[in-house]
Short mmCIF file of all heavy atoms in Angstrom, two decimals:
data_model
loop_
_atom_site.label_atom_id
_atom_site.label_comp_id
_atom_site.label_asym_id
_atom_site.label_seq_id
_atom_site.Cartn_x
_atom_site.Cartn_y
_atom_site.Cartn_z
N GLU A 207 -29.79 22.86 25.60
CA GLU A 207 -30.36 24.09 26.18
C GLU A 207 -30.64 23.88 27.62
O GLU A 207 -30.41 24.81 28.48
CB GLU A 207 -31.70 24.33 25.50
CG GLU A 207 -31.54 24.85 24.04
CD GLU A 207 -32.87 24.89 23.34
OE1 GLU A 207 -33.93 25.16 23.88
OE2 GLU A 207 -32.84 24.74 22.07
N ASN A 208 -31.15 22.71 27.95
CA ASN A 208 -31.43 22.41 29.39
C ASN A 208 -30.15 22.24 30.23
O ASN A 208 -29.99 22.85 31.24
CB ASN A 208 -32.33 21.17 29.56
CG ASN A 208 -33.65 21.44 28.89
OD1 ASN A 208 -34.14 22.57 28.85
ND2 ASN A 208 -34.27 20.36 28.35
N ALA A 209 -29.26 21.53 29.73
CA ALA A 209 -28.06 21.23 30.39
C ALA A 209 -27.12 22.41 30.60
O ALA A 209 -26.54 22.55 31.70
CB ALA A 209 -27.22 20.11 29.69
N LEU A 210 -27.12 23.36 29.61
CA LEU A 210 -26.12 24.40 29.72
C LEU A 210 -26.81 25.76 29.89
O LEU A 210 -26.15 26.83 29.93
CB LEU A 210 -25.32 24.47 28.44
CG LEU A 210 -24.44 23.21 28.17
CD1 LEU A 210 -23.76 23.30 26.88
CD2 LEU A 210 -23.45 23.04 29.29
N GLY A 211 -28.19 25.75 30.02
CA GLY A 211 -28.89 27.04 30.18
C GLY A 211 -28.86 27.92 28.94
O GLY A 211 -28.60 29.16 29.04
N LEU A 212 -28.98 27.33 27.80
CA LEU A 212 -28.82 28.13 26.50
C LEU A 212 -30.23 28.55 25.98
O LEU A 212 -31.15 27.86 26.27
CB LEU A 212 -28.17 27.35 25.35
CG LEU A 212 -26.96 26.53 25.75
CD1 LEU A 212 -26.47 25.74 24.50
CD2 LEU A 212 -25.90 27.47 26.28
N THR A 213 -30.33 29.59 25.18
CA THR A 213 -31.48 29.95 24.62
C THR A 213 -31.39 29.85 23.05
O THR A 213 -30.43 30.48 22.52
CB THR A 213 -31.96 31.44 24.93
OG1 THR A 213 -31.91 31.53 26.40
CG2 THR A 213 -33.22 31.85 24.39
N TYR A 214 -32.30 29.18 22.51
CA TYR A 214 -32.29 29.07 21.05
C TYR A 214 -32.95 30.31 20.41
O TYR A 214 -33.89 30.83 20.94
CB TYR A 214 -33.16 27.77 20.65
CG TYR A 214 -33.19 27.68 19.07
CD1 TYR A 214 -32.04 27.14 18.47
CD2 TYR A 214 -34.29 27.95 18.29
CE1 TYR A 214 -32.02 26.94 17.06
CE2 TYR A 214 -34.22 27.77 16.95
CZ TYR A 214 -33.20 27.30 16.35
OH TYR A 214 -33.18 27.06 15.01
N ALA A 215 -32.39 30.78 19.41
CA ALA A 215 -32.88 32.00 18.70
C ALA A 215 -32.60 31.96 17.25
O ALA A 215 -31.72 31.23 16.82
CB ALA A 215 -32.28 33.22 19.39
N ASP A 216 -33.44 32.72 16.46
CA ASP A 216 -33.03 32.75 15.00
C ASP A 216 -31.79 33.61 14.86
O ASP A 216 -31.40 34.29 15.80
CB ASP A 216 -34.21 33.25 14.19
CG ASP A 216 -34.72 34.59 14.61
OD1 ASP A 216 -33.89 35.41 15.10
OD2 ASP A 216 -35.89 34.95 14.42
N LEU A 217 -31.19 33.52 13.71
CA LEU A 217 -29.92 34.24 13.44
C LEU A 217 -30.01 35.77 13.72
O LEU A 217 -29.17 36.34 14.41
CB LEU A 217 -29.40 34.01 12.03
CG LEU A 217 -28.09 34.55 11.68
CD1 LEU A 217 -27.00 34.06 12.53
CD2 LEU A 217 -27.77 34.33 10.15
N ASP A 218 -31.11 36.36 13.27
CA ASP A 218 -31.26 37.82 13.43
C ASP A 218 -31.20 38.16 14.90
O ASP A 218 -30.64 39.11 15.34
CB ASP A 218 -32.50 38.20 12.85
CG ASP A 218 -32.40 38.50 11.33
OD1 ASP A 218 -31.31 38.16 10.82
OD2 ASP A 218 -33.37 39.04 10.74
N THR A 219 -31.92 37.34 15.74
CA THR A 219 -31.91 37.63 17.26
C THR A 219 -30.60 37.52 17.81
O THR A 219 -30.13 38.25 18.57
CB THR A 219 -33.05 36.75 17.89
OG1 THR A 219 -34.22 36.87 17.16
CG2 THR A 219 -33.18 37.06 19.34
N VAL A 220 -29.93 36.40 17.45
CA VAL A 220 -28.54 36.24 17.95
C VAL A 220 -27.68 37.40 17.57
O VAL A 220 -26.95 37.94 18.51
CB VAL A 220 -27.90 34.89 17.38
CG1 VAL A 220 -26.42 34.81 17.70
CG2 VAL A 220 -28.66 33.68 17.95
N LEU A 221 -27.74 37.89 16.34
CA LEU A 221 -26.89 39.03 15.93
C LEU A 221 -27.35 40.21 16.75
O LEU A 221 -26.46 41.08 17.14
CB LEU A 221 -27.08 39.20 14.49
CG LEU A 221 -26.50 38.10 13.63
CD1 LEU A 221 -26.91 38.27 12.09
CD2 LEU A 221 -24.99 37.96 13.68
N ARG A 222 -28.60 40.46 16.80
CA ARG A 222 -29.11 41.80 17.38
C ARG A 222 -28.80 41.82 18.90
O ARG A 222 -28.54 42.89 19.41
CB ARG A 222 -30.62 41.78 17.18
CG ARG A 222 -31.10 43.09 16.61
CD ARG A 222 -32.55 43.17 16.33
NE ARG A 222 -33.34 42.19 17.05
CZ ARG A 222 -34.08 41.17 16.48
NH1 ARG A 222 -33.95 41.12 15.14
NH2 ARG A 222 -34.84 40.37 17.19
N GLU A 223 -28.95 40.71 19.65
CA GLU A 223 -28.88 40.78 21.10
C GLU A 223 -27.48 40.45 21.70
O GLU A 223 -27.32 40.65 22.95
CB GLU A 223 -29.95 39.87 21.73
CG GLU A 223 -31.30 40.33 21.29
CD GLU A 223 -32.48 39.61 22.01
OE1 GLU A 223 -32.16 38.92 23.02
OE2 GLU A 223 -33.58 39.83 21.67
N SER A 224 -26.61 39.97 20.96
CA SER A 224 -25.30 39.49 21.52
C SER A 224 -24.23 40.58 21.63
O SER A 224 -24.09 41.41 20.78
CB SER A 224 -24.79 38.33 20.70
OG SER A 224 -25.63 37.30 20.60
N ASP A 225 -23.49 40.53 22.76
CA ASP A 225 -22.35 41.38 22.89
C ASP A 225 -21.12 40.79 22.18
O ASP A 225 -20.25 41.49 21.79
CB ASP A 225 -22.08 41.56 24.43
CG ASP A 225 -23.23 42.26 25.11
OD1 ASP A 225 -23.64 43.36 24.70
OD2 ASP A 225 -23.77 41.61 26.10
N PHE A 226 -21.17 39.40 22.16
CA PHE A 226 -20.10 38.68 21.46
C PHE A 226 -20.71 37.71 20.60
O PHE A 226 -21.65 36.95 21.02
CB PHE A 226 -19.18 37.94 22.48
CG PHE A 226 -18.56 38.96 23.49
CD1 PHE A 226 -19.18 39.15 24.66
CD2 PHE A 226 -17.40 39.49 23.10
CE1 PHE A 226 -18.61 40.08 25.57
CE2 PHE A 226 -16.81 40.47 23.97
CZ PHE A 226 -17.41 40.74 25.28
N VAL A 227 -20.30 37.61 19.31
CA VAL A 227 -20.84 36.62 18.39
C VAL A 227 -19.63 35.70 18.05
O VAL A 227 -18.65 36.20 17.56
CB VAL A 227 -21.44 37.25 17.17
CG1 VAL A 227 -21.79 36.23 16.11
CG2 VAL A 227 -22.71 38.06 17.50
N SER A 228 -19.85 34.39 18.29
CA SER A 228 -18.75 33.46 18.03
C SER A 228 -19.16 32.39 17.02
O SER A 228 -20.23 31.81 17.27
CB SER A 228 -18.25 32.86 19.37
OG SER A 228 -17.05 32.20 19.12
N ILE A 229 -18.39 32.27 16.04
CA ILE A 229 -18.76 31.33 14.89
C ILE A 229 -18.24 29.93 15.15
O ILE A 229 -17.02 29.76 15.33
CB ILE A 229 -18.26 31.94 13.56
CG1 ILE A 229 -18.86 33.36 13.39
CG2 ILE A 229 -18.74 31.04 12.36
CD1 ILE A 229 -18.29 34.06 12.18
N HIS A 230 -19.13 28.96 15.03
CA HIS A 230 -18.67 27.59 15.22
C HIS A 230 -19.45 26.61 14.37
O HIS A 230 -19.99 25.65 14.74
CB HIS A 230 -19.01 27.14 16.69
CG HIS A 230 -18.25 28.01 17.68
ND1 HIS A 230 -16.86 27.84 17.92
CD2 HIS A 230 -18.66 29.03 18.39
CE1 HIS A 230 -16.45 28.80 18.73
NE2 HIS A 230 -17.46 29.53 19.08
N THR A 231 -19.44 27.06 13.03
CA THR A 231 -20.20 26.23 12.07
C THR A 231 -19.21 25.82 10.95
O THR A 231 -18.22 26.54 10.73
CB THR A 231 -21.36 27.13 11.47
OG1 THR A 231 -22.08 26.34 10.50
CG2 THR A 231 -20.83 28.37 10.83
N PRO A 232 -19.48 24.67 10.31
CA PRO A 232 -18.55 24.36 9.20
C PRO A 232 -18.71 25.33 8.04
O PRO A 232 -19.72 25.99 7.92
CB PRO A 232 -18.96 22.96 8.82
CG PRO A 232 -20.16 22.57 9.58
CD PRO A 232 -20.46 23.72 10.53
#
Side-chain angles (χ1 to χ4, degrees):
E207 286 171 34
N208 296 330
L210 300 175
L212 315 179
T213 303
Y214 182 74
D216 59 28
L217 181 61
D218 279 6
T219 306
V220 169
L221 295 170
R222 230 179 17 245
E223 296 193 7
S224 300
D225 300 303
F226 301 93
V227 172
S228 189
I229 303 174
H230 301 285
T231 181

